[in-house]
């Protein structure tokens, strides 16, 4: 059964359809009120004249479908399938900045709380999103200080011999050491944190008050004081929330700028009537993915009255179109804007942005109308339990706001695609955001290992500080305790030597330690830091081929940046400099080894004589070219004769090797 014949078996119910190529890969996912009518519309001559649809149908060899009860379910299923399959003919959400969430790892033996930007179905509880981004960090810091949940990256699946400094300064319950806290007490604290993040402050306050009174009665005054401080924290958060609810409603505002087949979109988050954060989105490959016609929004049979019917191309389809699967003619491609259709784009973008979110503002302002706007608004209202409006303002204050965001999108476009270098402060903020660092990165120290089959293993450390490489702080290391090829052990040695020295000298640590390598080097570096009691140091690695950035503690969520990202360019520049510095030092060490071995092979030349010769003549080449009188000025006549004879013999052997092939 060919592809067109298979369409005759598709039902007329609502649902989603999936086009597949010869390799069985899903290349496009769509939804429809009437699956049969929608899928068969792709065989129309007008549809296949469109660049994107024509390319799709040339590759498609099979189609599958999933039926659902109504259009709402079809829209939700389409969004899930696109995110799961990532078909290349669909519009995929890409951005350099994502919403910050607070993650509570409930599935761990000792749960932790930290900021993340990726949602996963891993048994953890996620809270957010938070605007601006640093609000999530402030809340996590508040939780660490008030509820004493560990803020370090120590492995809590096992016990350790001693606690870190955080325990002794009363910033942690110490679950890493057996006996410092009980599993029951830790679970109770986690329940408090969960109530706090869920906003169930009344229930939390009652629980804290009861336990504070019990602790005071049993004369556990330190515990009672800690619970009292937590109650004060809860009161303060309640006051802030009451103030926020008295202001204007929340809204998200979209704007875009399209030019030269590239697109920049800005999203401004307004909370309480104020702009608190923004996001940038960029697309570069729009001709293939956004050259849309009405194929995306074909009118179903029950939505049309009198549209001319078009028979399929006989070369493509032999059978006639059956009843109940009537096709409609599309408007010409030129009338619909083949290069870029903002209606299609915003329909796909908003579904991917909001359908999986826990929080959606009451108003979403977009610059263009799109067909699914009403249905999407209804679905978001049902999911959030409050009225959500997706508006296309035409005039007034809201339209001015959309225009303002479009102007900012134009600036983002210029900065991204016209190669205008953003300011260093902006790059630092983007780096902080991408790697979820608590502070603005001002100093980065990067390490690399260099050797040839384990010989002359060395390491380099280069320093980036406040926007420039700081060569005066570069360091070179000879690896002393590792023999053979073992990059991980070499990295452990170098990291431990460097930061033990900083500890002893009581000097500040860098904002970020960057390792040239993958997960193995990253874990080796952290093991070295953990051995000397350092558990809060931000640590990351960047792999050479994939250009993926791994942040310690979030290895399952590697950071993949766009190839044009200034943050990626900065990390690559620092990594490449550390590699250059390590290779240069390794070559120098190898040359010294080769040079030393040649001189020491001469009878009568020992380390001291070798040193005098090199200091006087500067190099082995200088010694080789020296006259007998010049040599006797440094060594005695007998040794000078041995040196001269050694180089003459080595030169004759080399000449012989070069001449022999010619004679043969």
């Amino acid at each position: 059964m060919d592809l067109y014949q298979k369409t005759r078996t598709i039902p007329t119910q609502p649902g989603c359809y999936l086009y597949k190529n010869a390799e069985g890969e899903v290349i496009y996912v769509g939804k429809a009120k009437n699956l049969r009518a929608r899928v068969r519309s792709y065989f129309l001559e007008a549809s296949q004249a469109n660049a994107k649809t024509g390319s799709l149908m040339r590759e498609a060899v099979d189609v599958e479908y999933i039926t659902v009860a109504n259009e709402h379910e079809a829209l939700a299923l389409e969004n899930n399938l696109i995110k799961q399959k990532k078909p290349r003919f669909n519009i995929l959400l890409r951005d350099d900045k994502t919403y910050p969430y607070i993650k509570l790892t409930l599935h761990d033996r000792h749960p932790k709380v930290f900021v993340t930007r990726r949602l996963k179905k891993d048994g953890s509880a996620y809270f957010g999103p938070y605007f601006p981004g640093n609000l999530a960090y402030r809340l996590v810091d508040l939780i660490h200080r008030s509820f004493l949940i560990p803020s370090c990256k120590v492995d809590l699946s096992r016990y350790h011999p001693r606690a870190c400094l955080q325990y002794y300064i009363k910033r942690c319950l110490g679950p890493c050491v057996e006996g410092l806290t009980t599993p029951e007490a830790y679970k109770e604290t986690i329940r408090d944190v969960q109530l706090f993040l869920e906003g169930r402050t009344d229930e939390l306050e009652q629980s804290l008050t009861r336990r504070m009174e019990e602790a005071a009665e049993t004369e556990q005054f330190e515990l009672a004081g800690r619970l009292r401080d937590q109650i004060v924290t809860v009161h303060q958060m309640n006051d802030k929330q009451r103030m926020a609810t008295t202001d204007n409603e929340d809204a998200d505002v979209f704007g875009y700028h399209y030019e030269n087949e590239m697109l920049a979109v800005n999203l401004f988050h307004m909370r309480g009537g104020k702009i608190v954060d923004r996001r940038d989105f960029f697309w570069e490959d729009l001709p293939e993915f956004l050259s849309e016609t009405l194929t995306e929004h074909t009118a179903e049979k029950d939505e049309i009255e009198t549209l001319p019917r078009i028979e399929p191309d006989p070369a493509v389809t032999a059978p006639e179109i059956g009843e109940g699967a009537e096709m409609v003619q599309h408007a010409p491609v030129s009338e619909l804007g083949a290069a870029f259709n903002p209606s299609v784009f915003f329909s796909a973008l908003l579904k991917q942005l909001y359908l999986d979110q826990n929080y959606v503002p009451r108003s979403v302002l977009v610059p263009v109308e799109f067909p699914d706007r009403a249905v999407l608004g209804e679905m978001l209202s049902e999911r959030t339990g409050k009225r959500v409006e997706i508006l296309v303002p035409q005039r007034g204050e809201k339209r001015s706001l959309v225009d303002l965001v479009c102007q900012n999108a134009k600036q983002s476009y210029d900065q991204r695609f016209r190669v205008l270098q953003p300011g260093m402060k902006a790059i630092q903020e983007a780096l902080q955001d991408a790697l979820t660092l608590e502070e603005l990165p001002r100093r980065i120290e990067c390490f690399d290992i260099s050797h040839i089959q384990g010989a002359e293993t060395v390491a380099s450390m280069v320093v980036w500080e406040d926007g420039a490489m700081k060569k005066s702080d570069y360091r070179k290391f000879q690896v002393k305790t590792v023999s053979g090829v073992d990059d991980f052990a070499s990295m452990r040695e170098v990291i431990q030597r460097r930061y033990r020295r900083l500890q002893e000298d009581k000097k500040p640590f860098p904002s970020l330690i960057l390792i040239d390598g993958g997960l193995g080097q990253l874990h080796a570096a952290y093991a070295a830091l953990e051995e000397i009691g350092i558990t809060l140091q931000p640590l990351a690695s960047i792999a050479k081929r994939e250009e993926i950035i791994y942040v310690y503690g979030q290895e399952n969520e590697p950071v993949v940046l766009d190839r044009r990202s200034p943050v990626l360019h900065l990390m690559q520049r620092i990594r490449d400099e550390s590699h250059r510095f390590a290779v240069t030092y390794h070559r120098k060490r190898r040359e010294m080894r080769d040079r030393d071995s040649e001189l020491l092979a001469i009878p009568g030349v020992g380390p001291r004589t070798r040193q005098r010769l090199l200091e006087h003549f500067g190099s082995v080449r200088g010694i080789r070219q020296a006259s007998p009188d010049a040599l006797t000025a440094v060594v005695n006549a007998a040794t000078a004769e041995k040196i001269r004879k050694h180089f003459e013999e080595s030169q004759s052997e080399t000449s012989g090797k070069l001449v022999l092939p010619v004679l043969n």
Side-chain angles (χ1 to χ4, degrees), residues 128-142:
Y130 293 95
F131 310 103
N134 61 7
L135 174 59
Y137 292 99
R138 295 202 305 267
L139 283 175
V140 168
D141 182 64
L142 179 65

Side-chain angles (χ1 to χ4, degrees), residues 340-360:
F340 176 57
N341 188 331
S343 296
V344 172
F345 172 79
F346 277 99
S347 174
L349 177 65
L350 265 64
K351 283 183 282 188
Q352 293 185 52
L353 268 177
Y354 291 119
L355 281 180
D356 296 331
Q357 298 297 324
N358 296 325
Y359 174 80
V360 181

